[in-house]
Amino acid sequence: MPVRGIRGAITAEENTSAEILGATHELLTEILNRNNLQDFSEIVSAIFTTTPDLNACFPAEAARGIGMHQVPLLCASEIAVPTGMPRTIRILLHVNTDRPQAEMVHIYLRDAKKLRPDVTSAQ
């Protein structure tokens, strides 16, 4: 079965555990719902990144909070590009599916919609 990637991003209002986990939960839940991924066994792995200004907690904790205990998760800090969008959390899910890549629904929320207007216009 092929592995497909699903991307998403969201911004956090501030660098607190509550805000990072809340934003990550919001984004992850939307990605899962829009891609009909209620069965976590289809998820191969997930990578969570944050901009360097978000370091109050690991965003992957939000995935554990919704029951993704068997999915390998990785958190990383993004490169500090001077023109980058601040307080941004990104997720890349790797999913086992027979659906073509074109059917994967990528999700951008809050100010992160500005990162991919080509994707968000279809949402």
Side-chain angles (χ1 to χ4, degrees), residues 41 56-57 66 85:
S41 67
C57 70
I66 64 168
M85 182 173 287

Side-chain angles (χ1 to χ4, degrees), residues 7-41:
R7 301 179 314 273
I10 192 168
T11 52
E13 295 297 319
E14 56 189 1
N15 183 28
T16 64
S17 292
E19 179 61 22
I20 293 168
L21 294 177
T24 304
H25 180 271
E26 179 182 344
L27 175 59
L28 184 56
T29 300
E30 187 70 12
I31 290 172
L32 296 172
N33 289 341
R34 294 284 304 276
N35 286 282
N36 196 26
L37 292 170
Q38 286 69 39
D39 181 4
F40 298 150
S41 67

